[in-house]
Amino acid sequence: MALSKEKTASLVKKYGKTGKDTGSASVQIAILTARIKDLTEHLKKNGQDANARRSLLTLVGQRQSLLSYLARTDREEYSKVIESLGIRSKVK
């Protein structure tokens, strides 16, 4: 379920501060969101795949942690990321 290099590079280019900025929270959230979408499509076809379901829950938890961090540190960037990715998140 890994993303292709081209897809990852396009996400880094779009959400990163530079072309090689793979470590920022917004880039990591974008990559996790793409992987979550791929796994969701896989599970629609293969509902009994327990390993994929567990992986999906793990990715969602990682993304939620990064979203919480981004909301605490940079509220403007957080708003921009969730709007451009089309996701919602509860912030505590």
Side-chain angles (χ1 to χ4, degrees), residues 1 3 9 20 29-30 34-35 39 41 44 49 88 91:
M1 300 295 157
L3 295 176
K20 296 187 177 193
I29 291 167
R35 290 179 62 197
L39 268 177
E41 289 303 314
K44 285 180 183 176
D49 191 350
R88 292 187 323 186
V91 179

Side-chain angles (χ1 to χ4, degrees), residues 2-73:
L3 295 176
S4 66
K5 288 183 181 181
E6 295 81 19
K7 177 77 172 171
T8 304
S10 69
L11 289 172
V12 170
K13 186 176 179 182
K14 182 175 181 181
Y15 292 99
K17 293 172 181 48
T18 64
K20 296 187 177 193
D21 178 24
T22 58
S24 67
S26 56
V27 173
Q28 291 182 44
I29 291 167
I31 291 171
L32 285 172
T33 301
R35 290 179 62 197
I36 287 169
K37 287 180 182 177
D38 287 348
L39 268 177
T40 303
E41 289 303 314
H42 171 77
L43 282 171
K44 285 180 183 176
K45 297 174 189 162
N46 305 295
Q48 298 296 317
D49 191 350
N51 291 328
R53 186 172 311 280
R54 184 177 189 279
S55 297
L56 177 64
L57 292 174
T58 302
L59 292 176
V60 169
Q62 288 176 352
R63 183 178 70 178
Q64 183 59 45
S65 297
L66 285 169
L67 283 168
S68 296
Y69 166 76
L70 194 59
R72 279 193 322 266
T73 57

